[in-house]
Amino acid sequence: MTNASPYPAGPSPHPTGTPPHSTGLPWYPAATPPHPTGSSPLRTGGLPYHRLDRGTGRHRWWRAWVGTLLLATAYVVLVLVLAGVTYGLGTALGAPELPDGGVDLGPLGNTATELVSLAIALPLVLLATLWPARRPAGTVSSVTGRLRARWLGWCLLAGLPPLLLLTVTAFLLPDGSGESDTWVGWRSFLAALAVLAVLVPLQAAAEEYVFRGWLTQAVGAFVRSPWFAVLPQAVLFAAAHGWGTRWGFLGLLVNGLVAGLLTIRTGGLEAAIALHALNNLLAFGASAAVVDGLSSDETAADAPWALALAAVVVDLLYAALVLWLARRHKPQRLSPPEPPPTPYPEYPEYPGLARTA
């Protein structure tokens, strides 16, 4: 004869069966299953701009290297294609040949070709962000996944006063280049402005997407410090303009650092694009106002010490204005936090479990 059990009979207080992602013991469920994005479910806060490559859960050490190599290779190929098309067009129009083997399309035509050759890098950066980086192309624009038009407008307003001051200063400084200062005439000037107004913003944006965008995020995928993320791109940005004077190189280096830090501080490329576009529009516009002004091959790398120092002061003044506006308008600095996992409707008693079909 067996003794009766001292425990009351009845249904088990625990659910029957083993819910997904459990330990096999129905009263002791396992930890929360993997997040749908593949990243850690413990991270609920957003990421700064330079760390956005870490926010998808698809980061691999080779993606940034392969993306940079493909970006550089595709850019060289497209530049060669553009050179071939330009040469064919110039030959068909009977344009004279330049000593370097190209064709002379005139000051405005040559300037437009140069601007287009830089602007073609913009779509390449967006494609490299899609693959091999495997994240939305908009994440290279800002932490919100898009270019914020309203904040870009505020940055343009902030950049006008200091950059107009720099343009006036450049005219007042002694010029030893011996270039002409003869007025080009309204017809030629307005035609040049129309072309520059279309191409210069694209060229400036393309450079920002390459240096402050792609390169900053590629380095930021491996380092947390914003300083370490912006320093390599600033050096490469200055070197890309060629070696002119040590003061010109220093001015470009400071410009790259300021633009890079503003990008991280404000969560997007808007401040850097506004500074670059306004600076180039005013510089090219001033050159277009005089005869053969657009024919000059000088860049910011060739700036004398006085002009380079004035440019540094203007960059710092612009940064102060943008940071003041950022305190007032509060642009989003971090990416949106990851949403919590969705609970299973079949197992309401396990709210931490999510369906992963």
Side-chain angles (χ1 to χ4, degrees):
M1 179 177 178
T2 58
N3 295 328
S5 172
Y7 302 102
S12 171
H14 305 292
T16 59
T18 302
H21 307 291
S22 76
T23 60
L25 302 176
W27 60 87
Y28 188 73
T32 305
H35 192 273
T37 62
S39 57
S40 171
L42 298 178
R43 187 187 69 78
T44 57
L47 289 171
Y49 176 85
H50 66 295
R51 300 284 288 172
L52 287 183
D53 192 61
R54 288 282 187 171
T56 62
R58 302 186 183 95
H59 169 74
R60 300 294 183 272
W61 67 268
W62 54 267
R63 293 192 188 279
W65 295 99
V66 172
T68 303
L69 178 61
L70 290 176
L71 176 60
T73 303
Y75 178 73
V76 171
V77 171
L78 285 183
V79 167
L80 292 177
V81 171
L82 177 64
V85 171
T86 303
Y87 183 83
L89 179 63
T91 302
L93 296 176
E97 189 170 335
L98 294 171
D100 61 1
V103 292
D104 187 2
L105 300 177
L108 183 57
N110 293 337
T111 300
T113 302
E114 181 182 356
L115 293 174
V116 171
S117 69
L118 295 172
I120 57 178
L122 177 54
L124 296 180
V125 171
L126 300 179
L127 290 174
T129 306
L130 288 171
W131 194 91
R134 291 192 65 192
R135 53 189 170 90
T139 56
V140 77
S141 298
S142 76
V143 295
T144 65
R146 59 182 176 82
L147 199 65
R148 300 165 293 185
R150 184 179 180 85
W151 176 239
L152 177 62
W154 282 113
C155 293
L156 288 171
L157 289 177
L160 272 176
L163 288 171
L164 284 173
L165 176 63
L166 177 62
T167 304
V168 173
T169 302
F171 272 110
L172 294 178
L173 290 175
D175 182 13
S177 63
E179 295 180 358
S180 170
D181 57 356
T182 304
W183 168 246
V184 73
W186 280 109
R187 183 175 181 179
S188 298
F189 180 64
L190 293 177
L193 280 186
V195 174
L196 295 173
V198 173
L199 296 181
V200 168
L202 295 176
Q203 168 263 327
E207 292 189 26
E208 294 306 317
Y209 271 82
V210 170
F211 292 99
R212 260 62 73 180
W214 174 265
L215 290 178
T216 297
Q217 291 182 337
V219 177
F222 300 97
V223 299
R224 294 180 180 273
S225 170
W227 284 100
F228 287 140
V230 303
L231 185 57
Q233 61 81 24
V235 174
L236 291 174
F237 175 71
H241 287 76
W243 182 261
T245 66
R246 66 183 64 181
W247 295 105
F249 185 88
L250 179 61
L252 287 168
L253 181 64
V254 172
N255 179 266
L257 289 173
V258 168
L261 291 173
L262 284 178
T263 296
I264 296 175
R265 176 62 179 80
T266 61
L269 293 175
E270 295 86 359
I273 291 175
L275 175 62
H276 201 153
L278 284 175
N279 182 60
N280 285 12
L281 275 173
L282 291 173
F284 277 108
S287 298
V290 297
V291 175
D292 292 332
L294 292 176
S295 300
S296 175
D297 57 357
E298 289 188 356
T299 68
D302 304 303
W305 71 268
L307 184 57
L309 180 60
V312 168
V313 172
V314 165
D315 288 341
L316 296 178
L317 178 59
Y318 173 76
L321 290 173
V322 169
L323 293 178
W324 177 76
L325 284 173
R327 287 193 295 270
R328 292 176 58 88
H329 296 279
K330 302 186 185 320
Q332 187 172 325
R333 296 177 53 189
L334 302 177
S335 62
E338 295 176 350
T342 304
Y344 267 102
E346 297 91 341
Y347 300 100
E349 61 275 16
Y350 297 109
L353 298 181
R355 183 183 299 274
T356 55

